[in-house]
Amino acid sequence: MSINGKTKIIAIFGDPVEHTLSPAMHNAAFAATGIDCVYVPFHVRPDNLGDAVRGLKAMGFAGANITVPHKESVIKFLDGVDVEAGRLGAVNTIVNEGGALIGYNTDGRGFVRSLKEEGGLDPDGKRVFVCGAGGAARGIGFALSSAGAAEISFFDVDKAKLGRLVDDINGAFGRTVAVAAGLDPDYIKERGLVVNATPLGMHAGDPRPLPDGSFREGQIVYDIIYNPAVTVTMRQAEGAGARVQNGLGMLLYQGVLAFEHWMGVAAPVETMREALLKGLQAKG
Ligand code: NAP
């Protein structure tokens, strides 16, 4: 790579940001496509977010990714957001469109694209169970609703958060697509797609978020955790004959969609996947 006066720059802002695999994924993609661009992480604390976003514009960056904890608070510093990011109230991708900073959200759409391309499942007309109602579940819920899911049942230990998410989705889509559910294994077992969107499974010895008896053959069980590659939920579901998928595809396709927003060309998906896998291996 040779950096010159024409090299475009994409940033990622987070607090913390040291752990991110996105620079490896996007810099590999730029190298593979011959695009003269670099992707650089910046540790931006909440108090400095406004200045950092103004800096993107002042220095003519091509765009940015926004990660925890800035996805909601960044919106007030932007010139506009697309419909989906506006509905969600969260942005993970900024594109510098001729001097205007426009926000997008590719997290939930990344999940749906991964589901279609890797899991072979189109959520149109399907009934889904999502365990968790936090930030990731919110993106997934809105994207599944946009993709035509017939019903999405959410469970969360935080009942206020659960109620807000269900109301927000139904309000945005003008129909009852989201419902609050309990943890009844017979009910969960009837759903064609089950998603773990809680952090349970990231650490050895974590309890199971979903009860035994929730899984069956012909079901897809998607755990959005990608490290470790196999979680307690995936083992449980696989034991009952379900097809399982981890969160690497969601991480990959949110990046693929962001790349396509910035560059306007198809992303080199397999190069990006390899870079992510290599980055994960290096972390051990
Ligand atoms: P979050 O905002 O903290 O949401 C997690 C939610 O799950 C919280 O509301 C939490 O409630 C709830 N919860 C915890 N234990 C539960 C249980 N036993 N049953 C039901 N709900 C429970 O976190 P997030 O940002 O959504 O992330 C969730 C997970 O997804 C993390 O592991 C993260 O690494 C992963 N993730 C993956 C991707 C990807 O690209 N693959 C993207 C984003 C996130 P409390 O707050 O009350 O504990």
Side-chain angles (χ1 to χ4, degrees):
M1 179 175 59
S2 92
I3 292 179
N4 59 72
K6 291 185 195 155
T7 304
K8 293 189 180 117
I9 306 173
I10 303 276
I12 177 166
F13 295 165
D15 178 24
V17 80
E18 291 75 14
H19 63 284
T20 179
L21 295 169
S22 292
M25 171 168 66
H26 285 294
N27 286 319
F30 296 140
T33 50
I35 293 173
D36 186 9
C37 187
V38 300
Y39 184 106
V40 191
F42 293 92
H43 184 183
V44 175
R45 295 198 170 81
D47 285 353
N48 294 325
L49 183 62
D51 285 341
V53 173
R54 282 186 284 275
L56 289 176
K57 207 187 245 190
M59 293 189 281
F61 281 30
N65 272 147
I66 302 297
T67 188
V68 178
H70 304 312
K71 290 185 186 185
E72 290 94 20
S73 51
V74 75
I75 291 180
K76 58 180 172 291
F77 302 115
L78 302 179
D79 298 304
V81 290
D82 85 332
V83 175
E84 194 178 358
R87 270 177 176 165
L88 261 171
V91 158
N92 79 330
T93 299
I94 298 173
V95 184
N96 187 343
E97 299 183 5
L101 299 182
I102 308 299
Y104 297 86
N105 198 305
T106 67
D107 286 329
R109 276 189 291 135
F111 170 85
V112 169
R113 191 149 153 198
S114 151
L115 193 63
K116 285 183 178 171
E117 301 209 7
E118 300 171 323
L121 184 82
D122 185 339
D124 194 4
K126 301 291 188 304
R127 291 189 305 166
V128 185
F129 188 91
V130 179
C131 193
R138 176 168 278 268
I140 288 170
F142 274 80
L144 284 171
S145 305
S146 288
E151 185 182 276
I152 311 168
S153 309
F154 288 96
F155 172 77
D156 198 293
V157 286
D158 182 334
K159 299 300 171 217
K161 207 186 280 181
L162 174 64
R164 267 198 309 277
L165 178 56
V166 166
D167 290 348
D168 288 352
I169 293 180
N170 292 336
F173 289 88
R175 66 185 174 104
T176 304
V177 55
V179 297
L183 272 188
D184 173 4
D186 293 330
Y187 178 88
I188 301 169
K189 204 171 176 175
E190 280 175 27
R191 269 67 204 160
L193 171 65
V194 177
V195 182
N196 175 36
T198 76
L200 291 183
M202 290 179 80
H203 303 109
D206 275 353
R208 301 168 169 201
L210 292 158
D212 281 336
S214 303
F215 309 107
R216 60 169 165 84
E217 273 180 41
Q219 198 179 37
I220 293 193
V221 178
Y222 198 126
D223 195 327
I224 68 167
I225 293 169
Y226 53 84
N227 194 12
V230 181
T231 65
V232 61
T233 300
M234 290 166 68
R235 274 196 294 273
Q236 210 182 351
E238 212 160 28
R243 269 200 293 146
V244 298
Q245 212 174 322
N246 73 16
L248 190 82
M250 177 175 174
L251 180 67
L252 169 66
Y253 280 100
Q254 65 73 31
V256 164
L257 290 163
F259 180 100
E260 292 175 353
H261 276 303
W262 295 318
M263 301 301 154
V265 297
V269 178
E270 290 317 313
T271 299
M272 294 169 80
R273 188 194 306 276
E274 276 164 33
L276 279 181
L277 287 169
K278 221 163 121 185
L280 275 171
Q281 267 164 14
K283 277 176 185 248

